[in-house]
C-alpha cells in the first residue's frame, strides 16, 4: 500500500474587518470604550489582535458606521445601527484574511465562539479582500429600533 504522507491539511482561515486595509495587523487597537477622553481610551488599550471565524462577523466591524451605537447578533442574524444613514453601502471595506496555522497555539485564546484573541505584536494577512459596506445587508437583517433589536436578540 502507498500512502500520501504529504497530505495537505485544510486551511482554517480567520477574518479581520476594517474600513482600511492593513498589510500588517498590530495589537495596538483602542477599545470600543465610550470614554471621550483619548488618554482614558489609551489606558484601556487592548494588547491582542482580534480575528473572527465568521466572515459576516468581520464584515460587520468593517462596515459599521463610525458614529452611534452599533450592535450585532450573529446567532439571530440581526444588526442595529443607531446612525444607519451614516452607513454608505458603496464604501470600500476590507477583510484581512489570516491562516490560523500562522499563529502559534499558545498565542491563541477564544474570547467566544466567533472571536479569537491573538497575543502577538503583529500578524501578516495571507490576503486582503475589498468588499462594499452594503454587503452587510446580504448577511444580516437590519432592525431599526434598538428595543426591538434587544427583544429579538433575547428571544
Amino acid at each position: 500500500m502507498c500512502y500520501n504522507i504529504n497530505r495537505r491539511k485544510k486551511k482554517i482561515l480567520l477574518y479581520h474587518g476594517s474600513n482600511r486595509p492593513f498589510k500588517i495587523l498590530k495589537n495596538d487597537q483602542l477599545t470600543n470604550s465610550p470614554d471621550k477622553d483619548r488618554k482614558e481610551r489609551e489606558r484601556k488599550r487592548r494588547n491582542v489582535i482580534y480575528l473572527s471565524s465568521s466572515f459576516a462577523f468581520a464584515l460587520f466591524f468593517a462596515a459599521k458606521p463610525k458614529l452611534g451605537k452599533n450592535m450585532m447578533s450573529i446567532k439571530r442574524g440581526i444588526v442595529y445601527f443607531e446612525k444607519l444613514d451614516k452607513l454608505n453601502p458603496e464604501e470600500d471595506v476590507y477583510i484581512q484574511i489570516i491562516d490560523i496555522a500562522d499563529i502559534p497555539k499558545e498565542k491563541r485564546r477564544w474570547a467566544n465562539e466567533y472571536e479569537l484573541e491573538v497575543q502577538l505584536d503583529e500578524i501578516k494577512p495571507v490576503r486582503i479582500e475589498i468588499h462594499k459596506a452594503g454587503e452587510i445587508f446580504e448577511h444580516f437583517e437590519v432592525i431599526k429600533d434598538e428595543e426591538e433589536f434587544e427583544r429579538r436578540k433575547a428571544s
Side-chain angles (χ1 to χ4, degrees):
M1 288 189 144
C2 181
Y3 293 99
N4 181 356
I5 59 172
N6 292 321
R7 277 187 244 162
R8 289 179 159 228
K9 291 182 181 180
K10 185 176 178 181
K11 282 189 175 188
I12 299 174
L13 299 178
L14 300 168
Y15 308 95
H16 180 90
S18 177
N19 61 354
R20 297 185 321 236
F22 292 109
K23 291 180 181 176
I24 301 288
L25 294 172
K26 297 186 177 189
N27 72 355
D28 60 357
Q29 300 173 4
L30 295 179
T31 66
N32 289 332
S33 167
D35 296 315
K36 301 282 188 240
D37 180 35
R38 184 162 178 86
K39 286 185 181 179
E40 182 62 16
R41 290 178 66 214
E42 287 280 345
R43 191 181 68 74
K44 294 180 181 178
R45 181 178 294 280
R46 297 178 182 137
N47 290 316
V48 297
I49 299 168
Y50 285 94
L51 304 176
S52 181
S53 58
S54 165
F55 172 84
F57 190 93
L59 184 62
F60 169 82
F61 285 97
K64 68 184 178 68
K66 293 170 192 66
L67 300 173
K69 190 177 208 179
N70 303 297
M71 298 184 290
M72 165 189 46
S73 170
I74 195 149
K75 288 183 179 179
R76 300 282 184 242
I78 57 175
V79 291
Y80 167 77
F81 301 115
E82 181 180 23
K83 306 280 186 188
L84 181 58
D85 60 317
K86 300 294 184 195
L87 190 153
N88 175 358
E90 294 304 314
E91 179 183 1
D92 285 341
V93 296
Y94 303 88
I95 303 295
Q96 283 75 210
I97 300 175
I98 294 87
D99 186 340
I100 199 167
D102 294 338
I103 305 166
K105 287 181 181 173
E106 67 275 6
K107 299 294 184 178
R108 306 177 201 162
R109 187 181 84 75
W110 286 98
N112 57 53
E113 66 183 292
Y114 300 107
E115 285 183 292
L116 180 68
E117 295 177 344
V118 178
Q119 296 172 338
L120 291 173
D121 292 334
E122 59 185 41
I123 301 172
K124 183 175 182 183
V126 293
R127 72 177 183 272
I128 301 170
E129 294 181 352
I130 302 171
H131 293 269
K132 295 294 184 189
E135 290 178 39
I136 194 80
F137 305 125
E138 297 170 17
H139 297 273
F140 295 98
E141 177 187 354
V142 176
I143 308 299
K144 294 182 179 178
D145 178 75
E146 184 176 355
E147 288 180 19
E148 174 66 10
F149 175 88
E150 292 292 353
R151 185 188 67 70
R152 292 201 34 202
K153 180 181 171 188
S155 67

